[in-house]
Amino acid sequence: MVGTISTYIAFNGNTTEALKHWQEVFGGELNLLTYGQLTLEGMPFDPPADALAHGVLTLDNGGLISGSDSFEGEMLVKDTAYSMLYNAESVEDGRARIDKIVAAGGEEAMKFEQAPWGGFFGQVFDKFGVMWNISSD
């Protein structure tokens, strides 16, 4: 088996909402497992039954976005120290993804346009505060 890297993110109680939103924007198959669906014997904490224990969005291109709910209190998610990168199939696809994110309450941070390295590139924060870098050749 070849090692891979994928994204895992936790929000304070609304990770399911985020994963469903990203499925609407990027497509793919979403699998969700709540704590209520698990046997919790031996768990070091007592989570709400409807909280997300593990979710996986398998994108059509093979990428993965996984996550679960966090319980540590308020979390600051919006930052530029990390981001998600989506390599669009075309310039039109890249623009369409940005438009979907903005239409759902996101904010464009860097206009999607010709980059110095020859492709197209732009940045957008989604309604959850996650920065998406959108790139296309």
Side-chain angles (χ1 to χ4, degrees):
M1 178 179 192
V2 176
T4 61
I5 295 174
S6 57
T7 302
Y8 196 95
I9 193 163
F11 290 102
N12 191 13
N14 64 339
T15 307
T16 296
E17 182 185 355
L19 289 168
K20 286 180 177 180
H21 171 64
W22 297 334
Q23 182 184 33
E24 289 175 15
V25 173
F26 299 106
E29 181 181 332
L30 181 59
N31 292 299
L32 303 170
L33 180 66
T34 65
Y35 283 101
Q37 296 171 294
L38 300 174
T39 303
L40 298 179
E41 255 180 62
M43 291 286 277
F45 59 97
D46 187 24
D50 63 344
L52 185 65
H54 186 67
V56 178
L57 174 58
T58 304
L59 302 173
D60 295 334
N61 67 4
L64 293 175
I65 303 173
S66 301
S68 64
D69 283 332
S70 173
F71 305 105
E72 289 85 43
E74 292 294 318
M75 290 177 34
L76 176 64
V77 176
K78 188 171 183 178
D79 199 345
T80 57
Y82 70 92
S83 61
M84 306 285 264
L85 173 63
Y86 179 76
N87 290 304
E89 293 177 18
S90 65
V91 172
E92 293 77 20
D93 177 44
R95 284 198 175 110
R97 304 302 173 154
I98 289 171
D99 290 347
K100 281 184 175 182
I101 292 170
V102 170
E107 175 186 349
E108 193 169 19
M110 178 186 290
K111 190 165 180 64
F112 186 69
E113 57 191 15
Q114 187 84 43
W117 54 87
F120 277 70
F121 182 82
Q123 295 175 327
V124 61
F125 282 97
D126 68 19
K127 66 182 176 180
F128 301 98
V130 174
M131 186 169 85
W132 288 86
N133 292 303
I134 308 293
S135 180
S136 178
D137 293 332

